């Protein structure tokens, strides 16, 4: 609410005759610049029973302090007299809708500057939600898009709320052209969690990295090498499977739930044969949060695994695939993984020297 002097000045501006609507708007914008210290993005005239009762200025900056009202992070509202909040909100929503239809560039400016505040309003208010939800921008492996753009490509809305889970599958999802939404911010997650309730005909799923991996085509494999891989990596709480996905140059995708990472952090030592056997048994019963090493059947090296006859070579290849997948997934390397990498590198050097001596002899 303006001061008495400010109210008189605003009243004079609203009641003054102008030669054109543009002159009127320009004058009100200059008054807003005086109030805000910067030229507002836009001005909305507020009315009650068709009589001017105030203005709402679209703020040209974000509010650094806790707002005094629900819309104060987006608009500076100046009223000549008391007006019901519902009446003001209705006019602001009409303004936002009109802006989206007739002035898309300015509408995008408002969303970019006040996106967080408007998302919070949408979480709290169904009217705001329905008006703005399809205009909000979300991150995907293919770039930032609105829900409106998303539904032009896919009718199925899938999203991941944990940034670490999203990071694990981002590269593979991009290669598959999968629009998986990254909603790591609380407001984004809350918005999408409400979507199906407002649009019951929609298909919406919240995923983690493992559930995304389930979307990739599974491959049946022959030979005993997969059993070797399972036994080799069981102490690391890793289950091994084969699926077909892009990019073909990526030999494996490693997905780990937050529960798995927490368990590994709390139980770093699992080296004794007794503990390894217990861990393997519990994993087979689904009682431990296992990590999943998803081997990529599109990669030539994975296809060659069935042809490796030397057990030691097979094990070292599997270890290197696992370690590479761990690094590419930005997952922490513990003492066990560092020892595995060191031992594998030494073994490769030994084999290389042996091969050189064999070649020299022959």
């Amino acid at each position: 609410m303006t001061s008495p002097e400010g109210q008189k000045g605003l009243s004079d501006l609203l009641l003054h005759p102008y030669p054109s609507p543009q002159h009127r708007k320009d004058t009100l914008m200059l008054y807003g610049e005086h109030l805000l210290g910067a030229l507002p993005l836009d001005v909305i005239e507020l009315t009650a029973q068709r009589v001017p009762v105030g203005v709402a200025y679209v703020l040209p900056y974000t509010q650094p302090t806790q707002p005094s009202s629900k819309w104060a992070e987006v608009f500076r509202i100046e009223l000549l007299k008391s007006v019901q909040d519902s009446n003001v909100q209705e006019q602001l929503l009409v303004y936002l809708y009109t802006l989206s239809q007739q002035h898309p560039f300015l509408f995008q400016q408002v969303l970019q500057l006040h996106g967080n505040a408007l998302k919070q309003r949408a979480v709290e208010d169904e009217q705001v939600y329905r008006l703005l939800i399809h205009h909000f921008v979300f991150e995907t492996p293919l770039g930032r898009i609105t829900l409106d753009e998303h539904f032009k490509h896919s009718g199925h809305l899938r999203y991941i709320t944990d940034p670490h889970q999203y990071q694990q599958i981002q590269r593979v999802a991009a290669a598959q052209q999968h629009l998986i939404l990254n909603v790591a911010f609380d407001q984004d997650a809350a918005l999408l969690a409400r979507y199906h309730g407002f649009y019951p005909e929609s298909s919406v799923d919240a995923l983690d990295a493992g559930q995304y991996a389930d979307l990739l085509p599974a491959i049946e494999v022959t030979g005993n090498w997969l059993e070797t891989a399972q036994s080799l990596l069981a102490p690391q709480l890793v289950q091994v499977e084969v699926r077909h996905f892009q990019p073909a140059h990526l030999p494996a995708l490693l997905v780990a739930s937050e529960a798995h990472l927490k368990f590994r952090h709390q139980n770093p030592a699992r080296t004794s044969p007794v503990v390894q056997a217990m861990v393997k048994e519990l994993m087979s019963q689904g009682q431990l949060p296992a990590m999943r090493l998803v081997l990529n059947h599109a990669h030539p090296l994975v296809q060659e695994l069935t042809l490796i006859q030397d057990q030691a070579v097979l094990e070292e290849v599997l270890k290197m695939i696992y370690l590479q997948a761990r690094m590419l997934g930005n997952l922490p390397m513990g003492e066990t993984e560092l020892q595995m990498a060191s031992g594998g590198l030494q073994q490769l050097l030994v084999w290389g020297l042996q091969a050189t001596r064999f070649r020299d002899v022959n």
Side-chain angles (χ1 to χ4, degrees):
M1 185 73 71
T2 58
S3 65
E5 295 79 7
Q7 282 198 350
K8 184 180 185 306
L10 179 59
S11 176
D12 291 343
L13 291 177
L14 290 173
L15 297 177
H16 183 79
Y18 295 91
S20 70
Q22 189 60 50
H23 278 83
R24 181 181 182 89
K25 181 172 183 177
D26 290 344
T27 302
L28 292 174
M29 288 286 282
L30 289 174
Y31 181 76
E33 184 177 20
H34 170 72
L35 289 176
L36 303 175
L39 192 68
L41 290 183
D42 204 0
V43 59
I44 308 103
E45 291 195 49
L46 303 173
T47 62
Q49 298 179 341
R50 300 185 179 181
V51 176
V53 295
V55 292
Y57 291 107
V58 184
L59 295 175
Y61 44 70
T62 56
Q63 282 280 33
T65 59
Q66 183 68 25
S68 57
S69 68
K70 293 180 178 179
W71 287 104
E73 289 183 88
V74 183
F75 300 100
R76 167 75 177 264
I77 299 172
E78 299 290 329
L79 298 173
L80 297 179
K81 59 181 181 180
S82 179
V83 181
Q84 290 185 353
D85 288 343
S86 59
N87 181 267
V88 173
Q89 167 154 311
E90 182 180 347
Q91 293 181 67
L92 295 179
L93 292 179
V94 169
Y95 164 76
L96 289 172
Y97 174 77
T98 303
L99 204 65
S100 69
Q101 299 300 307
Q102 299 179 9
H103 304 284
F105 179 76
L106 179 56
F107 181 63
Q108 288 303 317
Q109 280 187 294
V110 174
L111 287 182
Q112 289 175 12
L113 184 59
H114 298 296
N116 290 336
L118 290 170
K119 284 179 178 181
Q120 184 59 45
R121 294 292 299 119
V123 169
E124 299 168 353
D125 189 291
E126 181 178 348
Q127 280 186 294
V128 183
Y129 187 99
R130 290 184 180 275
L131 174 63
L132 297 179
I133 185 61
H134 294 101
H135 298 287
F136 288 138
V137 175
F138 297 91
E139 179 187 355
T140 78
L142 303 180
R144 294 173 60 79
I145 64 171
T146 64
L147 288 192
D148 193 32
E149 294 168 330
H150 175 281
F151 285 121
K152 292 178 182 178
H153 298 279
S154 172
H156 198 143
L157 188 62
R158 298 187 177 99
Y159 64 93
I160 294 178
T161 60
D162 185 279
H164 302 295
Q165 295 291 298
Y166 177 81
Q167 191 176 45
Q168 290 176 46
I169 60 91
Q170 184 177 9
R171 182 184 289 104
V172 172
Q176 263 57 231
Q177 298 290 298
H178 287 166
L179 289 171
I180 308 297
L181 276 63
N182 176 21
V183 292
F185 296 105
D186 290 343
Q187 290 177 343
D188 288 354
L191 285 170
L192 294 190
R194 302 187 70 187
Y195 192 88
H196 184 72
F198 290 139
Y199 301 95
E201 73 284 357
S202 63
S203 177
V204 183
D205 285 320
L207 306 177
D208 61 16
Q211 289 168 319
Y212 173 77
D214 291 337
L215 302 176
L216 305 172
I219 300 294
E220 293 280 345
V221 297
T222 58
N224 298 325
W225 68 267
L226 187 58
E227 182 178 343
T228 298
Q230 299 280 19
S231 298
L232 179 69
L233 297 176
Q236 311 309 314
L237 299 183
V238 176
Q239 293 177 333
V240 186
E241 60 195 86
V242 183
R243 294 179 181 268
H244 190 94
F245 55 89
Q246 298 299 319
H249 63 76
L250 189 69
L253 168 67
L254 191 65
V255 294
S257 67
E258 290 304 301
H260 169 88
L261 296 176
K262 182 178 180 181
F263 179 86
R264 273 184 58 94
H265 179 73
Q266 295 174 344
N267 302 272
R270 296 174 303 280
T271 55
S272 75
V274 174
V275 173
Q276 289 184 13
M278 181 181 68
V279 165
K280 185 176 181 181
E281 178 63 23
L282 291 174
M283 282 176 56
S284 67
Q285 298 173 7
Q287 296 180 29
L288 282 180
M291 191 184 306
R292 292 167 60 187
L293 180 65
V294 185
L295 299 174
N296 184 7
H297 189 260
H299 194 281
L301 179 58
V302 175
Q303 297 175 13
E304 291 286 329
L305 290 176
T306 58
L307 304 178
I308 299 177
Q309 301 298 317
D310 190 307
Q311 183 77 5
V313 173
L314 176 61
E315 290 183 0
E316 291 304 324
V317 170
L318 289 168
K319 288 178 184 178
M320 292 304 106
I321 291 176
Y322 163 66
L323 292 173
Q324 182 192 34
R326 194 172 186 93
M327 288 187 289
L328 291 176
N330 293 308
L331 294 168
M333 298 281 280
E335 184 64 29
T336 302
E337 285 77 30
L338 293 175
Q339 291 178 1
M340 187 182 295
S342 176
L345 179 60
Q346 286 184 341
Q347 186 61 65
L348 289 174
L349 291 173
V350 169
W351 286 336
L353 292 172
Q354 289 176 343
T356 299
R357 286 197 294 269
F358 179 81
R359 183 189 60 201
D360 292 342
V361 170
N362 290 277

